[in-house]
Amino acid sequence: MLTSLSLTTECLVTHNGTRFCTCHSGYLWNATLCSLYPTCHGHRSEIDSCMCRSFHGPAPGYCQFPPPVPANLILDSQLRMPRDTLHLILLKKEEATNLRWYLKHPESHRLVFLRPGTNVSQMSGQGQAGLSITSLSRHWTGSYMSIFEAQGFRWKLKQVVQVPLEEKEVIRLPDKLSISCAASTGFQLSCCIPLTNLAYTATWSPGEGSQASLHNFSDSQCLVLTVKHCPAADTTYTCTLHSQNLAPLMAPVSITIIQDTDTTCPKDFSVVAWNVTKAGFVAQAPCPVNKRGVVKRLCGPDGIWGPVQNSCTEAEILAMCLKAKLLLEGQGKPNEEVQRILSQLRGQVGVVSTPSDLQEMLHTVILLANVVAETRTELTDSALKDLLTTTDKILEVNLSSLWTLAQTQEPSLASDFLKAVETLVHSLSPQQHPFSFNSSNVLLQSQLLRHTSPPGYQMSFSAWPLLQARIPWYSLAPLVHNGTNVSITSLVLQKLDHCLPSSYAQGLWNNPYITPGLVLVVSITADGQAFTQAELIMDFEEMNGTLYCVFWDYSLFQGQGGWSDKGCQVHAANTSTITQCVCQHLTAFSILMSQHTVPENPILNLLSQVGVGVSILALLVCLVIYKLVWGVVVRNKVSFFRHAALYNMVICLLAADTCFLGAPFFPSGYHSLFCLATAFLCHFFYLATFFWMLAQALVLAHQLLFVFHQLSKYLVLSLMVILGYLCPLGFAGVTLGLYLPQRKYLWEGKCFLNGDGVMLHTFSEPVLVIVCVNGLVLVIAVLKLLRPSLSEGPPVEKRQALVGVLKALLILTPIFGLTWGLGVAVIFDQDSMVPHYIFTILNSLQGVFILVFGCLTDKKVLEALRKRFRFQGTQSFNSAISLATNEAYASEHSKERSEHASYEERMTD
């Protein structure tokens, strides 16, 4: 027997046969039909209540009466404080599937999908599921919904959460004001708060003689206080915000009355209108329509206006940055929101006009890159085009000044942006390869490698000075042979290198560099995974300056990033017009050109050439003298050691000076064998000169310290030859082998060693070590001379001993090369030219010093020359130490005199 009849479903049939079927109150479509068929608005939805569905043809079923709700959504308190953690618990009575969480903001009708993010976490267990949100803010205010399927129906449970405002979200304009009652009788104060689902009432106090008015905007509301008359004294006005069950928020604004004796800045109309302001105060003005922030200007202590500080930001750019931030925290679906925000960015980049605009724009890209990296989201070709178009406009020249101002506030901004673009570019979906993009500042080429791909990867570019980049097949073969689809993307960013901080890793010695105006980013992706270990070869056109292959290391300088050459080398190319960089990893690359060159000084050049020329003549005279008197002056071992060292010093210095004068006549560059040979010989012979100086000093030290120890002539000569020739040959050969393949061997435009580090490490440092050792030997010699004469001798003898010491210094200093110690002053005082002049004059005349103090002041050499040419003179030069000894010791202490004479003989012989 039929006892009752209920109508559950009502369908409306259109002229094309579509049926819109709506459930009556208390009835629902089952979950299967709800998911398979679109809503009456024509789209499929996972979040609607399954009340209306559209069908083409007869309806496959009807609405049914659902069972009791099989779960409870529990929230301990609807009012949560900022920075608290929210916990929502779903207690399930029946098995639930397809559970999803959503948030509906008060000012929007759209449901926002909640997923695990930096602030959101989800849990699911037997009989319950949960949602946790950390660091709550007003952006997490709204209705939280848990949508799931159970017992054949779709269920929706809801809880409302309210998060009150913080004091920092109350905007005062201005927050401090100085006013001249003579120039202005009244003023306005604003107190603004963002829209929220909590009801706030605002009041100003004191309110006497003023009028308050409420202004509503799309995203905020402001209570404006109009004060019609100046207060009689300094006053603090307070904006107080009240909401039920909450402590009031108070925003004070102090008003300072300008007195007649106060220093002030006058009215001005730069950018905006500035009223008379007291010295030391910051004047504030509102931003134009559709911008957020404030324009500030400091009135200096002397009554002079400072520069205008514009922190106004486009409201749309701020909104996009907020969306990206909330997306990273867990609000929204990345595969939808990333594409949408990138499209909006492309439309907003043209209105960037302040450093704040640029900062927020870059922050948005950086946040999106973090979202893509965290969720492994793949970009479509249209989304990547939007990103690259935005990047191209951001790198325009007219934004360069904004870059500078933005980076003063955030030094790592350009580095973070580069990393973000790199991340987003290699997130392109594999189905979108090959892909290319070409604009004035951005070039991108990508391709997909398979088993049938040609050997290796090679891509050519039209961005000067980059010619091409290639990856050898042996770096790619392991990936391709595994059967994976390997995608390679090459991205060139023009002008971005000029925005990056001028920071360099330790190996680059912190010299000033310039970059060619581009950054090359190469990435390899296989099955969605990025690979960074591969050999990359880049060809650059030849440029002026010492070149370094570098990459941008994001980890340097506490995360601000810097250029590093680790894993990268400069290699010689087949032609002289190409610089080849080889790196063993993939990231963002460029090249550095060293600017660390001492400006050409014609006077210094002339002094060097004249001094070296005179030195060569003096050394030739030395050789002639030795040829004439050698058999006479080397009759004992002591004389032989001394003059053998001097003779070899003369030979080495003569060869080095000859190469130095001849170097400018050869074509410079790595393609010139004569230039390379000249640089090598200069390095070798100058080093050999100093090592022979060291050999002479060590022999002298032995004679002074071990008076009665006899040395074998052939043993000492063998050791001197090894020290004088083989050691410098080892230094010169290792330097050539290390730095020539990296194209760091030659000085720019000259046939000499490169001055950026190479000369410092392989020439200057050994020379300074030798100079220090020679200086120590000189100190020992002086002490040996001073000890007997100054301890007991009479005043006349002391003066004579001092004269002898001074002459010893005069002789030994140039011969031992101690004047090269001035090189330290040249290294550490690049700006002053005085050390350069002294260093150039003394060391270019080294051969003259050897002639004068090594030959012409030697008593035996002069006597041999007199006998040879029968020269009759009344007086001749004596060696300085012999002269001092002969004059200083005429005392009655015969034992001391004989000991001192023994030291003299070793110093001169």
Side-chain angles (χ1 to χ4, degrees):
M1 178 183 295
L2 183 63
T3 59
S4 64
L5 180 65
S6 298
L7 186 62
T8 64
T9 310
E10 184 175 347
C11 295
L12 175 64
V13 183
T14 63
H15 64 279
N16 59 2
T18 302
R19 288 174 170 81
F20 297 101
C21 298
T22 306
C23 295
H24 282 203
S25 178
Y27 294 90
L28 294 174
W29 289 104
N30 64 52
T32 303
L33 293 178
C34 196
S35 301
L36 290 177
Y37 293 93
T39 67
C40 293
H41 299 290
H43 61 273
R44 286 181 172 82
S45 174
E46 297 179 349
I47 58 177
D48 78 312
S49 55
C50 297
M51 291 296 294
C52 185
R53 284 296 181 265
S54 62
F55 307 96
H56 292 284
Y62 55 89
C63 298
Q64 301 175 22
F65 185 76
V69 179
N72 291 322
L73 185 60
I74 299 175
L75 174 64
D76 53 357
S77 175
Q78 289 189 336
L79 183 63
R80 312 297 300 186
M81 291 297 106
R83 293 179 298 279
D84 278 357
T85 298
L86 171 68
H87 295 288
L88 282 167
I89 303 297
L90 180 67
L91 295 178
K92 300 179 290 185
K93 302 174 185 177
E94 301 288 342
E95 183 180 355
T97 60
N98 200 15
L99 173 62
R100 301 173 303 281
W101 297 91
Y102 292 88
L103 170 62
K104 179 180 176 297
H105 292 292
E107 68 277 8
S108 172
H109 297 289
R110 191 170 65 93
L111 291 183
V112 178
F113 178 72
L114 299 180
R115 56 167 186 83
T118 58
N119 291 36
V120 177
S121 59
Q122 298 177 3
M123 55 82 65
S124 181
Q126 187 67 32
Q128 67 178 19
L131 175 74
S132 295
I133 301 173
T134 60
S135 301
L136 286 175
S137 67
R138 66 178 179 87
H139 302 295
W140 293 94
T141 294
S143 299
Y144 285 82
M145 297 184 185
S146 174
I147 300 178
F148 59 94
E149 295 178 6
Q151 296 179 310
F153 290 90
R154 179 181 295 175
W155 304 95
K156 182 190 297 184
L157 302 181
K158 181 175 69 172
Q159 285 283 6
V160 177
V161 174
Q162 297 177 328
V163 182
L165 298 176
E166 300 180 78
E167 285 190 3
K168 65 180 181 180
E169 295 178 299
V170 182
I171 307 300
R172 299 160 292 166
L173 186 64
D175 55 14
K176 183 185 293 185
L177 177 66
S178 66
I179 186 168
S180 171
C181 294
S184 176
T185 57
F187 53 88
Q188 280 190 340
L189 303 177
S190 296
C191 174
C192 300
I193 60 173
L195 293 180
T196 176
N197 63 344
L198 286 174
Y200 282 92
T201 57
T203 58
W204 279 101
S205 62
E208 295 81 8
S210 59
Q211 181 180 355
S213 57
L214 184 64
H215 298 265
N216 291 313
F217 301 96
S218 59
D219 58 351
S220 64
Q221 59 182 7
C222 297
L223 184 65
V224 179
L225 180 69
T226 303
V227 181
K228 299 179 180 179
H229 303 287
C230 268
D234 295 350
T235 306
T236 297
Y237 289 82
T238 303
C239 176
T240 305
L241 298 168
H242 298 274
S243 185
Q244 188 176 3
N245 299 326
L246 291 174
L249 295 177
M250 307 184 72
V253 179
S254 60
I255 306 298
T256 301
I257 305 301
I258 299 175
Q259 307 298 327
D260 294 339
T261 57
D262 291 338
T263 302
T264 60
C265 292
K267 278 189 175 184
D268 190 68
F269 296 93
S270 299
V271 182
V272 296
W274 304 99
N275 293 323
V276 176
T277 302
K278 185 177 179 178
F281 278 69
V282 176
Q284 301 178 24
C287 292
V289 179
N290 296 327
K291 283 183 176 285
R292 302 292 180 267
V294 64
V295 185
K296 297 183 178 181
R297 196 177 188 189
L298 173 65
C299 177
D302 51 358
I304 302 299
W305 282 111
V308 176
Q309 298 177 353
N310 190 345
S311 64
C312 297
T313 310
E314 287 287 338
E316 288 295 328
I317 297 179
L318 281 174
M320 287 187 296
C321 188
L322 177 60
K323 287 180 183 178
K325 177 178 177 294
L326 294 177
L327 183 62
L328 181 62
E329 292 179 355
Q331 291 191 27
K333 296 180 179 179
N335 58 341
E336 298 176 359
E337 295 299 328
V338 170
Q339 329 282 346
R340 183 181 295 113
I341 296 174
L342 285 175
S343 177
Q344 294 172 349
L345 276 177
R346 178 177 181 176
Q348 289 295 321
V349 68
V351 301
V352 172
S353 59
T354 67
S356 298
D357 284 338
L358 180 61
Q359 275 185 288
E360 296 300 322
M361 182 77 70
L362 298 181
H363 284 162
T364 304
V365 177
I366 295 168
L367 290 169
L368 292 179
N370 291 336
V371 172
V372 168
E374 290 290 333
T375 61
R376 301 174 66 91
T377 301
E378 294 181 348
L379 296 185
T380 63
D381 57 346
S382 61
L384 187 56
K385 285 180 181 178
D386 290 335
L387 168 70
L388 298 178
T389 302
T390 301
T391 303
D392 176 62
K393 294 180 180 178
I394 286 176
L395 295 176
E396 283 296 337
V397 178
N398 57 2
L399 294 182
S400 58
S401 60
L402 300 184
W403 271 101
T404 303
L405 294 174
Q407 287 194 265
T408 57
Q409 303 175 24
E410 193 174 348
S412 64
L413 192 60
S415 176
D416 294 340
F417 177 67
L418 172 60
K419 186 176 183 178
V421 173
E422 182 179 349
T423 300
L424 290 169
V425 163
H426 69 63
S427 299
L428 181 65
S429 173
Q431 289 75 24
Q432 306 296 330
H433 295 283
F435 179 87
S436 64
F437 182 88
N438 194 342
S439 66
S440 58
N441 298 313
V442 180
L443 301 174
L444 186 142
Q445 300 177 10
S446 73
Q447 67 182 54
L448 199 62
L449 296 184
R450 296 183 176 87
H451 294 282
T452 57
S453 298
Y457 166 82
Q458 180 170 325
M459 195 64 68
S460 300
F461 300 92
S462 59
W464 184 91
L466 179 63
L467 297 177
Q468 67 176 8
R470 59 187 183 276
I471 301 176
W473 179 248
Y474 55 77
S475 289
L476 298 173
L479 296 176
V480 177
H481 288 164
N482 288 337
T484 59
N485 289 329
V486 179
S487 61
I488 304 180
T489 303
S490 299
L491 172 68
V492 176
L493 299 173
Q494 303 271 27
K495 305 173 186 175
L496 181 59
D497 54 331
H498 299 323
C499 303
L500 293 168
S502 299
S503 305
Y504 310 104
Q506 186 176 1
L508 296 173
W509 306 297
N510 288 325
N511 287 338
Y513 299 99
I514 59 173
T515 48
L518 63 83
V519 175
L520 170 64
V521 180
V522 179
S523 60
I524 298 178
T525 305
D527 287 344
Q529 183 178 358
F531 289 86
T532 59
Q533 298 302 316
E535 181 177 293
L536 177 66
I537 304 172
M538 296 161 283
D539 292 342
F540 294 90
E541 288 189 23
E542 186 72 31
M543 290 168 289
N544 295 327
T546 304
L547 303 182
Y548 300 88
C549 297
V550 292
F551 72 98
W552 187 256
D553 190 342
Y554 299 103
S555 63
L556 292 178
F557 304 104
Q558 291 77 46
Q560 294 185 14
W563 293 111
S564 173
D565 60 353
K566 184 178 180 181
C568 294
Q569 290 183 336
V570 180
H571 282 198
N574 295 330
T575 64
S576 60
T577 60
I578 293 178
T579 298
Q580 192 172 86
C581 290
V582 179
C583 294
Q584 303 302 321
H585 51 78
L586 301 179
T587 183
F589 301 96
S590 189
I591 54 175
L592 298 180
M593 295 174 287
S594 174
Q595 293 179 301
H596 187 71
T597 56
V598 177
E600 292 290 338
N601 189 314
I603 299 178
L604 277 179
N605 289 339
L606 180 62
L607 287 175
S608 295
Q609 294 172 0
V610 172
V612 172
V614 173
S615 182
I616 290 176
L617 293 178
L619 293 171
L620 291 174
V621 173
C622 278
L623 292 179
V624 173
I625 291 175
Y626 272 125
K627 182 176 179 59
L628 296 175
V629 303
W630 182 264
V632 178
V633 298
V634 295
R635 291 180 177 179
N636 57 62
K637 287 193 291 185
V638 175
S639 297
F640 177 78
F641 293 152
R642 176 172 180 265
H643 289 289
L646 278 173
Y647 182 79
N648 281 278
M649 285 168 52
V650 170
I651 294 294
C652 293
L653 188 58
L654 178 62
D657 285 347
T658 303
C659 292
F660 180 86
L661 281 186
F665 297 99
F666 297 115
S668 63
Y670 292 96
H671 60 283
S672 173
L673 293 179
F674 289 104
C675 184
L676 289 171
T678 301
F680 175 82
L681 292 176
C682 275
H683 187 202
F684 167 69
F685 281 117
Y686 275 123
L687 275 181
T689 302
F690 286 98
F691 274 96
W692 276 106
M693 290 180 185
L694 177 63
Q696 185 184 36
L698 294 178
V699 171
L700 177 58
H702 182 273
Q703 295 171 8
L704 292 174
L705 298 175
F706 306 99
V707 179
F708 302 105
H709 185 267
Q710 298 296 321
L711 295 173
S712 168
K713 181 178 180 180
Y714 295 103
L715 175 63
V716 173
L717 184 61
S718 300
L719 294 175
M720 291 174 70
V721 169
I722 292 174
L723 182 64
Y725 287 115
L726 293 185
C727 286
L729 182 62
F731 271 97
V734 171
T735 302
L736 182 70
L738 285 178
Y739 291 101
L740 181 60
Q742 303 178 37
R743 298 175 71 89
K744 296 181 180 180
Y745 186 73
L746 292 178
W747 195 300
E748 175 194 348
K750 298 180 181 179
C751 295
F752 302 121
L753 281 185
N754 185 357
D756 292 332
V758 178
M759 184 177 291
L760 178 66
H761 294 299
T762 63
F763 182 78
S764 300
E765 289 179 359
V767 165
L768 290 178
V769 171
I770 293 173
V771 166
C772 292
V773 174
N774 291 353
L776 180 62
V777 174
L778 177 59
V779 171
I780 295 173
V782 171
L783 292 177
K784 287 288 185 179
L785 287 174
L786 287 177
R787 186 179 63 184
S789 60
L790 295 182
S791 60
E792 300 177 1
V796 175
E797 293 179 356
K798 293 180 180 180
R799 287 195 298 271
Q800 291 175 343
L802 288 174
V803 172
V805 171
L806 293 177
K807 290 185 177 181
L809 289 172
L810 185 63
I811 292 173
L812 294 177
T813 296
I815 292 181
F816 283 176
L818 298 183
T819 53
W820 282 84
L822 290 170
V824 177
V826 173
I827 292 173
F828 290 102
D829 190 7
Q830 293 283 350
D831 297 329
S832 175
M833 295 305 296
V834 174
H836 287 85
Y837 279 104
I838 299 175
F839 183 79
T840 300
I841 293 172
L842 291 180
N843 291 288
S844 64
L845 296 175
Q846 193 88 10
V848 177
F849 294 147
I850 293 178
L851 171 64
V852 174
F853 300 115
C855 293
L856 299 183
T857 60
D858 189 287
K859 182 178 179 180
K860 292 182 180 180
V861 172
L862 288 179
E863 289 178 354
L865 287 174
R866 269 202 309 270
K867 291 179 182 179
R868 181 106 182 167
F869 296 104
R870 302 183 183 279
F871 176 70
Q872 301 296 327
T874 60
Q875 187 176 5
S876 64
F877 289 99
N878 295 319
S879 65
I881 301 176
S882 300
L883 177 62
T885 307
N886 293 333
E887 293 178 353
Y889 293 96
S891 68
E892 57 190 20
H893 304 287
S894 59
K895 183 178 180 179
E896 294 176 0
R897 181 169 63 249
S898 62
E899 179 185 356
H900 187 58
S902 175
Y903 288 129
E904 294 174 5
E905 183 179 357
R906 282 167 170 78
M907 294 291 289
T908 56
D909 291 339

